[in-house]
């Protein structure tokens, strides 16, 4: 017997045991009519925050210092101007795109870290904050009026030390 045959046999044995265990438990597919009539709607669940996590700021783009806000705006702008393409790129073109996207990541991470250090936000709130900046940048680009130029954002991103 080969190892593959033994592994396959063990898999089949465990699947058979699992199916037997699931099949032996009675299931109620439809609730009793009396239970449906007396059931009350469950209150909406609010996500509980871990201890020490402050609530999400009401003004997501107003949290933190001006430098941190500018870094997050630049990150969103760099990502918006360098989107992933569905078509296959030449290796050199793809490498250049990834390098530009990395600048967006670096400056965005710097902005989030700065806000966390300033205790303006908690690290768990980073996605909501970043999404707010991405939405604002999309609006600004549609209006053809970005608050900071792409060249200025790239210059700022290049000035941040590359993480190791």
């Amino acid at each position: 017997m080969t190892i593959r045959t033994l592994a396959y046999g063990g898999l089949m044995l465990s699947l058979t045991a699992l199916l037997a265990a699931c099949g032996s438990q009675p299931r109620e597919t439809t609730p009793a009519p009396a239970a449906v009539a007396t059931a009350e709607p469950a209150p909406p669940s609010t996500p509980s925050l871990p201890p020490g996590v402050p609530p999400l700021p009401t003004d997501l783009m107003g949290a933190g210092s001006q430098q941190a806000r500018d870094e997050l705006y630049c990150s969103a702008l760099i990502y918006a101007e360098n989107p992933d393409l569905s078509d296959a790129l030449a290796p050199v073109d793809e490498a250049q795109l990834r390098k530009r996207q990395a600048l967006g990541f670096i400056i965005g991470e710097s902005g989030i870290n700065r806000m966390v250090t300033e205790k303006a936000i908690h690290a768990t709130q980073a996605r909501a904050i970043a999404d707010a900046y991405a939405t604002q940048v999309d609006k600004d680009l549609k209006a053809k009026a970005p608050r900071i130029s792409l060249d200025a954002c790239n210059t700022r991103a290049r000035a941040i030390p590359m993480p190791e």
Side-chain angles (χ1 to χ4, degrees), residues 4-137:
R4 181 180 289 176
T5 306
L6 288 174
Y8 182 72
L11 176 64
M12 295 310 290
L13 181 62
S14 63
L15 283 175
T16 305
L18 179 64
L19 288 174
C22 291
S24 65
Q25 298 175 1
R27 293 186 193 167
E28 186 177 318
T29 56
T30 57
V36 172
T38 61
E40 294 181 20
S45 64
T46 57
S48 61
L49 297 172
V53 176
L56 198 60
T58 54
D59 181 13
L60 297 177
M61 294 183 54
S65 65
Q66 186 63 47
Q67 184 176 1
R69 294 192 309 258
D70 287 348
E71 287 175 348
L72 285 171
Y73 187 90
C74 282
S75 174
L77 182 63
I78 291 170
Y79 276 120
E81 293 290 343
N82 298 289
D84 276 332
L85 303 173
S86 60
D87 296 341
L89 294 174
V92 172
D93 294 336
E94 185 169 354
Q96 290 172 344
L97 174 65
R98 298 295 175 228
K99 186 175 181 180
R100 290 188 303 265
Q101 289 174 338
L103 288 176
F105 177 81
I106 290 166
I107 196 166
E109 182 181 39
S110 175
I112 290 293
N113 288 342
R114 190 176 310 278
M115 285 184 178
V116 169
T117 301
E118 296 167 353
K119 299 198 186 300
I121 66 165
H122 190 271
T124 59
Q125 301 166 338
R127 182 176 183 157
I129 302 287
D131 287 346
Y133 278 93
T135 302
Q136 182 61 48
V137 164

